[in-house]
Amino acid sequence: MKALWRKQVFDLVRPVLLALALSVSFQASSDSSAVASAHPLATDAGIDILKKGGNAFDAAVAVTATLAVVEPYSSGIGGGGFWLLHIEQDHRDVMIDGRERAPLAASRDMYLDDNNEVIPGASIDGALSAGIPGVPAAIEHIALNYGKLPLTVTLEPAIRHARTGFKTDKHYQRMAVFREKALNASPEAAKIFLKNNKAPEPGTLIIQSDLADTLSILAAQGARGFYQGELASKLVTSVVKNGGIWSKEDLASYRIIERTPVSGNYRGMKVISAAPPSSGGVALIQMLNMLAQFDFDSLSQSGRTHLLTEVMRRAYRDRAEYLGDTDFVDVPVDRLISEKHAKTLADSVRLDRATPSDQLRKVAVDANKATDTTHFSVVDKEGNRVAATLSINYPFGSGFVAEATGVLLNDEMDDFSSKPGVPNVYGLVGNEANAIEPGKRMLSSMTPTFLETEERIAVLGTPGGSRIITMVLLAALEFHRGGSADSMVNLGRFHHQYLPDRIFIEPDVFSESLVTALFELGHETSVLDSTFGNMHAIVFDRKRMKLDAAADSRGGGTAAVLH
Ligand code: GLY
């Protein structure tokens, strides 16, 4: 009788208990906010804007603009990027595609000589290598559509750091040494970023007065102030005078695109990531889908490393064949991220043997390029999130600063395939999907990502060229295992990208016995001299309502939680 009574009461209160449990386990907001970025001044700028009542989107605008000033070797208003936004009140995710576009006068073979050979440096150094920037348009779009504060407030920290200067560090010096030649080819760039034509010693003050004026115009007039009028004329005149092919129409017609992110599911973890023209989200979901075909967790360390290598190999092969700007070419995104496709690819994986890449269908792959990029993550107390990966491509981009603007231009044109469809020395062809076309966006590897389980949410991404996607994969698996933001960003890394057919490993990450076991399975390995990546992640624990933010110890960035 007593038991029956208890059951009746339980049946009555069960819906209430269930609703309560759900509201706790799916909680998306807390009383804290967090910012993690590659430079302390950029993290501080984001936190300041949150303190002033801004939301995550306002903070993202401030961080984007500040990084453009204090991390000029990684991103800038002369560059582009992808901002993955989660708008909590609408339960909506959107990707702001502020990727650079090829100028309207660009052509498929513009970087080839009369013998059909790639002209060394032509897509890397100087004004001809620059795509039409997307960052100014993206900043305005995010502020107007998602933020609460005006650009005059959110751009203030960036303008201040450009006007009064910031101090360089050892990393700046290394990057400037790497690009000394390109920077010296542009008198404006050499004046701003070098000292006596040399990479400055750490602690040198870099003042960017012209950039402060340009940012002030952007703050007062919005994107129109950059893409039209006097500033646009200055940019075009300077680019054309220095061998570039920009026109006023290129700038006036630039538009950001709101895209639906790609999404997938890995053993109860939802993955939301960058859509084309990034290859990042598609390849990430493909790799996770393939892994889900195996009992990954039951494998030995060498078995897991082998399997990860095999799924990386297959996803990067597909990347080279199919991925490009979906506004210009048909990319079979749904097929690539389908379980059916993953099953087909997984069927060719042998757990006891490496598949040599030349046994898979052949396609050309661009060499791993020395790109520099940046990633930051923001979460606010309303539960809004931003994962943003931004780039000007090579360290200091093209090395070219347009006269009297302070705008350092990207060399993102190098992310196109300069020589598509032409068999290379190995007889490989491919990259048609990423051939240069006027107005087209070049393929990217940038992978800003959200991960969601019932218990936790992660906001993450990293720079690192073609290695970005595998770094995000390893961090996603760490998150899935229950790892913290700190362990996600500081995990040892390895990478395989189909070609070259070799596993690249950070120093001190694999034991000798692991390398031997991989060799016995048929893998070539290379332990690199230095680490790679600079990941910034935030993890939200939905049950404890706690935010945890981390900056990669490989870089000089910071993470801050505001209570
Ligand atoms: N420029 C680096 C990337 O977009 O992947």
Side-chain angles (χ1 to χ4, degrees):
M1 185 70 191
K2 227 180 194 174
L4 186 66
W5 179 82
R6 266 206 224 108
K7 187 186 173 306
Q8 278 168 349
V9 172
F10 183 69
D11 282 349
L12 219 64
V13 296
R14 191 163 54 177
V16 181
L17 288 175
L18 206 66
L20 267 175
L22 279 178
S23 75
V24 172
S25 68
F26 287 99
Q27 188 72 35
S29 56
S30 70
D31 57 357
S32 312
S33 314
V35 180
S37 90
H39 199 288
L41 293 175
T43 302
D44 291 351
I47 292 288
D48 282 352
I49 292 301
L50 290 166
K51 281 186 187 161
K52 287 197 165 103
N55 61 16
F57 312 119
D58 295 308
V61 168
V63 176
T64 299
T66 305
L67 287 172
V69 174
V70 301
E71 216 198 4
Y73 42 83
S74 292
S75 69
I77 63 162
F82 301 115
W83 293 254
L84 189 61
L85 313 184
H86 171 78
I87 304 105
E88 175 58 20
Q89 71 171 16
D90 303 341
H91 302 288
R92 184 164 73 91
D93 300 304
V94 65
M95 178 175 105
I96 309 300
D97 170 358
R99 182 69 163 164
E100 297 91 334
R101 276 185 1 183
L104 297 169
S107 55
R108 181 187 167 99
D109 297 339
M110 63 186 278
Y111 298 116
L112 301 185
D113 65 15
D114 293 342
N115 297 322
N116 224 17
E117 293 301 332
V118 176
I119 305 164
S123 62
I124 295 170
D125 302 328
L128 186 62
S129 65
I132 307 303
V135 168
I139 281 179
E140 181 190 56
H141 183 84
I142 294 168
L144 290 182
N145 293 280
Y146 300 100
K148 295 184 193 171
L149 301 177
L151 286 174
T152 44
V153 174
T154 50
L155 296 191
E156 185 281 327
I159 295 169
R160 179 163 31 93
H161 294 308
R163 185 89 59 211
T164 60
F166 74 95
K167 288 218 168 125
T168 62
D169 56 15
K170 278 207 168 110
H171 186 61
Y172 181 107
Q173 187 182 31
R174 275 195 298 274
M175 296 290 102
V177 166
F178 181 69
R179 293 298 274 157
E180 228 169 59
K181 196 165 162 224
L183 290 167
N184 270 317
S186 165
E188 293 272 325
K191 197 171 70 191
I192 300 165
F193 298 115
L194 302 177
K195 290 290 163 235
N196 303 320
N197 301 95
K198 292 265 172 243
E201 291 296 321
T204 303
L205 195 66
I206 302 291
I207 293 176
Q208 301 174 78
S209 309
D210 285 340
L211 182 60
D213 292 343
T214 293
L215 286 167
S216 301
I217 292 171
L218 189 58
Q221 299 175 22
R224 201 168 30 93
F226 183 91
Y227 292 96
Q228 294 172 38
E230 201 188 327
L231 189 53
S233 294
K234 280 188 197 169
L235 288 164
V236 171
T237 305
S238 185
V239 164
V240 171
K241 198 174 100 187
N242 289 279
I245 52 170
W246 288 16
S247 65
K248 283 191 184 172
E249 196 194 341
D250 274 314
L251 288 170
S253 64
Y254 182 88
R255 297 285 179 274
I256 65 94
I257 301 174
E258 285 211 352
R259 297 191 191 270
T260 305
V262 291
S263 58
N265 207 295
Y266 174 75
R267 300 184 199 275
M269 175 175 76
K270 186 168 180 197
V271 181
I272 301 145
S273 191
S278 177
S279 57
V282 170
L284 175 65
I285 291 168
Q286 261 191 286
M287 292 188 283
L288 289 167
N289 284 348
M290 277 185 260
L291 283 182
Q293 307 304 315
F294 298 88
D295 190 1
F296 181 67
D297 294 332
S298 74
L299 298 172
S300 63
Q301 193 193 7
S302 61
R304 287 199 302 272
T305 311
H306 164 69
L307 181 55
L308 281 166
T309 303
E310 293 304 315
V311 305
M312 290 174 184
R313 183 197 308 281
R314 285 160 177 79
Y316 274 77
R317 201 216 70 85
D318 274 3
R319 175 194 190 273
E321 178 164 359
Y322 297 112
L323 269 293
D325 181 351
T326 41
D327 295 339
F328 285 74
V329 289
D330 283 333
V331 181
V333 173
D334 290 342
R335 181 170 77 77
L336 293 174
I337 62 173
S338 69
E339 206 191 330
K340 188 168 170 230
H341 185 59
K343 277 195 170 124
T344 307
L345 294 178
D347 276 351
S348 69
V349 173
R350 281 183 58 173
L351 288 178
D352 62 342
R353 199 80 215 129
T355 312
S357 289
D358 61 14
Q359 279 182 18
L360 300 177
R361 200 147 45 90
K362 289 180 184 171
V363 54
V365 172
D366 292 331
N368 193 25
K369 297 167 180 175
T371 60
D372 204 64
T373 297
T374 195
H375 176 88
F376 70 85
S377 299
V378 184
V379 175
D380 70 19
K381 57 182 193 277
E382 291 157 36
N384 299 310
R385 307 171 221 149
V386 181
T389 313
L390 316 173
S391 182
I392 49 169
N393 203 32
Y394 262 53
F396 289 95
S398 63
F400 176 78
V401 172
E403 278 114 322
T405 66
V407 180
L408 175 63
L409 301 187
N410 68 85
D411 56 356
E412 220 76 59
M413 289 296 285
D414 192 58
D415 272 351
F416 279 116
S417 303
S418 292
K419 206 175 164 182
V422 180
N424 68 9
V425 282
Y426 306 106
L428 303 177
V429 286
N431 289 314
E432 280 295 339
N434 190 32
I436 302 172
E437 289 184 60
K440 188 177 177 184
R441 282 153 150 89
M442 55 294 286
L443 185 62
S444 171
S445 296
M446 293 189 282
T447 316
T449 298
F450 300 144
L451 305 169
E452 299 178 359
T453 64
E454 226 175 85
E455 295 83 26
R456 301 193 304 157
I457 295 169
V459 179
L460 72 154
T462 180
S466 59
R467 295 179 189 153
I468 289 175
I469 317 169
T470 55
M471 286 188 255
V472 174
L473 171 72
L474 297 179
L477 292 170
E478 177 63 16
F479 174 76
H480 188 257
R481 274 193 294 273
S484 64
D486 194 59
S487 62
M488 288 163 71
V489 305
N490 288 314
L491 200 67
R493 294 171 178 149
F494 66 95
H495 169 80
H496 192 289
Q497 57 175 45
Y498 167 65
L499 289 175
D501 190 349
R502 178 170 286 274
I503 308 175
F504 295 93
I505 310 156
E506 284 190 316
D508 305 322
V509 166
F510 283 8
S511 64
E512 258 180 50
S513 60
L514 178 55
V515 172
T516 306
L518 290 168
F519 178 75
E520 281 164 1
L521 284 162
H523 295 285
E524 300 279 340
T525 54
S526 284
V527 177
L528 300 168
D529 293 337
S530 55
T531 59
F532 54 89
N534 191 14
M535 186 173 282
H536 294 94
I538 299 174
V539 169
F540 177 59
D541 185 322
R542 293 169 136 169
K543 283 194 179 129
R544 291 163 57 222
M545 290 179 55
K546 196 175 160 292
L547 276 173
D548 175 21
D552 200 322
S553 59
R554 298 165 180 85
T558 50
V561 177
L562 176 68
H563 295 288

